[in-house]
Amino acid sequence: MALKNKYLIDLLETVKKRNQGEPEFIQAVTEVIETLEPVIEKRPDLVEAGVLDRLVEPERQIVFRVPWVDDNGKVQVNRGFRVQFNSAIGPYKGGIRLHPSVYIGIIKFLGFEQVFKNSLTTLPMGGGKGGSDFDPKGKSDGEVMRFCQSFMTELCKHIGADTDVPAGDIGTGAREIGYMFGQYKRLRNEFTGVLTGKGLTYGGSLARTEATGYGLCYFTDEMLKANGKSFEGKTVVISGSGNVAIYATEKATALGAKVVALSDSNGYIYDPDGIDLACVKQLKEVERKRIKEYVATHPNATYTEGCKGIWTIKCDIALPCATQNEIDGESAAILVKNGCWCVSEGANMPSTPEAINTYLANGILYGPAKAANAGGVATSGLEMSQNSERLSWTFEEVDAKLHGIMVSIFKACESAAKEYGMEGNYMAGANIAGFLKVAEAMKAQGCV
Ligand code: GLU
């Protein structure tokens, strides 16, 4: 999309100059700025208040050394990050990514996305994100614990239940959250809801584990219904095999679809009989093994090395739940050619701008990440509420609230897109609806 508005063109130029060497961040900002053009034309007051100029600059960025000792007694050093992006509508909130690809540009793109996503949830949460280039893969429990304790020893100075509430993301699951929470409690001598995604014995919420995957399917189901379609009898390809992919598979299957593929960072499995989720859960959640082990017990299934090929599998609906930019223009064109008519995003920014253009040009029903995967952080917000009132809600209660939130997110995207002349473009709708709440709050609070 080519921008015409001079103010936005200049703003994007400034962002590009100021954030050189951070292509993921620039990509995330560009997408948002391009879809906000009609809003900016209608709302000179927001330009006057410098809302967008402030929104593209994180409020605070913390970068720190994370030293830890490995099982051989050798000192290892990783780099830790926390980007506190925007606190206009609530305390900073967002996950911690542990992956070797992590650098400041990745954390900034994730933090920026989080601002809009959290706004869409309707809950009072600002946006933030953290992480480290530490790779938990292949590390012993002891090594992971020592890393998490060292990471929290610095991070605890910057977070708090009313300040900034981290959670999981790629590489950070229940084990890591447990170690981080334990260290925070020990250092601060306080038991508060400072992290979400906690275990059920120490303040976690029922349905938080399932929330991102279930929420993705609730959102997608709503989008399908609005367009006279459903999951019933459809073939679905899902990438990834972490928490999001596993529970998206569970819910899509419950809604009548057949999920035929899953992947990890090494390759993908294709099972024409439909994925045996109990086996995947055992492999990934219990044994921490690679997805290729699946074919050893499923003779009809095949394993293919490499990730990109998963998008050549014929499907009706694709749910990318692995990582950023996993669907490029070429893969998107193959999906369309093979008859795929819906793409809904469980991962953060899994589609490149070329892929998104291909979806829009071909009338694909496209559920953008900020809206479609907001169920995880929404349920984190519900965990915060339960911690504040020192009560635990039932699974059914949390799941029903999550469902209601995902329906309202879809409605907000649908109506914002319509109001600004882009009916059916839920990406534009998500950006506009997410932006407006934060923008009003920023304007009301003055130049801070
Ligand atoms: N990392 C998840 C996300 O991308 C969850 C964040 C949270 O629960 O705070 O939204």
Side-chain angles (χ1 to χ4, degrees):
M1 228 190 284
L3 280 170
K4 287 184 221 62
N5 182 291
K6 171 91 171 66
Y7 163 71
L8 291 179
I9 292 171
D10 290 348
L11 180 68
L12 195 52
E13 249 349 276
T14 308
V15 169
K16 285 180 182 166
K17 261 199 214 120
R18 242 189 212 157
N19 302 282
Q20 287 174 31
E22 298 173 9
E24 299 85 0
F25 178 60
I26 292 169
Q27 181 183 334
V29 174
T30 304
E31 180 209 289
V32 168
I33 288 187
E34 285 180 351
T35 53
L36 288 182
E37 191 154 38
V39 183
I40 290 306
E41 302 277 343
K42 261 200 201 166
R43 296 289 306 269
D45 58 312
L46 297 180
V47 177
E48 185 66 28
V51 164
L52 261 176
D53 310 70
R54 289 185 280 143
L55 196 55
V56 295
E57 188 65 20
E59 289 177 17
R60 192 173 297 103
Q61 305 182 52
I62 304 144
V63 184
F64 50 99
R65 182 173 72 192
V66 190
W68 56 281
V69 178
D70 70 16
D71 286 347
N72 299 317
K74 196 169 170 296
V75 172
Q76 300 286 342
V77 178
N78 285 101
R79 189 171 282 179
F81 304 91
R82 187 73 187 166
V83 172
Q84 298 181 329
F85 220 108
N86 193 293
S87 60
I89 64 168
Y92 308 107
K93 179 85 198 84
I96 291 172
R97 178 172 293 193
L98 301 181
H99 191 272
S101 64
V102 164
Y103 75 107
I104 192 71
I106 293 276
I107 302 301
K108 277 167 66 183
F109 116 65
L110 290 165
F112 183 74
E113 293 280 293
Q114 203 81 45
V115 175
F116 299 85
K117 184 196 305 195
N118 294 4
S119 164
L120 283 170
T121 67
T122 67
L123 302 174
M125 298 182 290
K129 204 84 185 193
S132 173
D133 56 0
F134 173 79
D135 188 359
K137 216 183 294 155
K139 303 286 192 302
S140 69
D141 283 351
E143 288 176 323
V144 170
M145 182 175 77
R146 291 192 292 280
F147 166 82
C148 289
Q149 290 179 338
S150 179
F151 184 81
M152 184 52 84
T153 301
E154 176 60 32
L155 189 67
C156 79
K157 300 168 191 165
H158 311 285
I159 61 175
D162 294 318
T163 308
D164 183 357
V165 182
D169 196 78
I170 293 173
T172 306
R175 175 181 61 172
E176 291 75 16
I177 292 292
Y179 294 148
M180 288 181 195
F181 183 79
Q183 183 73 348
Y184 181 88
K185 183 166 63 65
R186 181 189 188 194
L187 290 167
R188 300 282 290 258
N189 194 24
E190 59 180 43
F191 195 114
T192 55
V194 66
L195 291 163
T196 59
K198 298 186 292 297
L200 296 177
T201 53
Y202 60 96
S205 173
L206 286 161
R208 175 62 188 90
T209 311
E210 294 83 355
T212 316
Y214 279 20
L216 169 65
C217 291
Y218 294 149
F219 178 92
T220 307
D221 195 37
E222 212 48 36
M223 176 169 74
L224 296 179
K225 279 195 223 148
N227 291 277
K229 295 181 167 10
S230 80
F231 268 112
E232 190 66 49
K234 304 303 183 308
T235 301
V236 179
V237 164
I238 300 184
S239 61
S241 50
N243 183 46
V244 184
I246 286 177
Y247 291 96
T249 303
E250 187 164 287
K251 187 53 76 178
T253 308
L255 291 171
K258 180 155 93 168
V259 179
V260 295
L262 285 175
S263 64
D264 63 18
S265 54
N266 293 104
Y268 65 92
I269 52 166
Y270 169 61
D271 189 341
D273 301 332
I275 293 288
D276 168 7
L277 196 60
C279 170
V280 175
K281 281 186 182 175
Q282 176 67 21
L283 283 174
K284 302 304 284 190
E285 295 184 329
V286 183
E287 298 171 18
R288 295 184 189 275
K289 285 198 177 141
R290 307 307 294 166
I291 197 80
K292 70 169 175 227
E293 305 289 337
Y294 181 93
V295 296
T297 48
H298 295 77
N300 284 346
T302 52
Y303 172 74
T304 310
E305 199 68 31
C307 297
K308 223 182 136 174
I310 194 168
W311 308 119
T312 63
I313 299 170
K314 199 172 156 40
C315 65
D316 299 298
I317 299 168
L319 304 177
C321 297
T323 194
Q324 68 271 358
N325 291 330
E326 55 174 310
I327 305 184
D328 59 11
E330 191 190 351
S331 295
I334 296 172
L335 280 168
V336 171
K337 191 175 106 242
N338 286 340
C340 170
W341 46 264
C342 172
V343 179
S344 201
E345 300 178 330
N348 288 312
M349 205 170 77
S351 307
T352 65
E354 296 73 30
I356 296 173
N357 287 340
T358 305
Y359 308 151
L360 298 179
N362 288 279
I364 297 272
L365 292 178
Y366 170 47
K370 293 184 187 76
N373 77 25
V377 73
T379 308
S380 279
L382 302 177
E383 183 171 332
M384 290 165 74
S385 302
Q386 292 169 80
N387 292 164
S388 296
E389 58 176 21
R390 301 198 190 285
L391 289 172
S392 303
W393 305 339
T394 62
F395 188 96
E396 291 68 29
E397 219 173 332
V398 180
D399 189 36
K401 286 194 164 72
L402 166 65
H403 189 255
I405 289 170
M406 298 316 293
V407 170
S408 80
I409 293 177
F410 175 74
K411 297 227 161 90
C413 297
E414 189 184 37
S415 66
K418 203 167 172 186
E419 189 182 335
Y420 287 90
M422 291 179 279
E423 195 167 350
N425 183 341
Y426 306 123
M427 169 182 73
N431 290 339
I432 293 168
F435 166 75
L436 281 172
K437 179 177 176 187
V438 177
E440 301 293 2
M442 287 177 76
K443 188 184 158 199
Q445 290 169 31
C447 182
V448 289

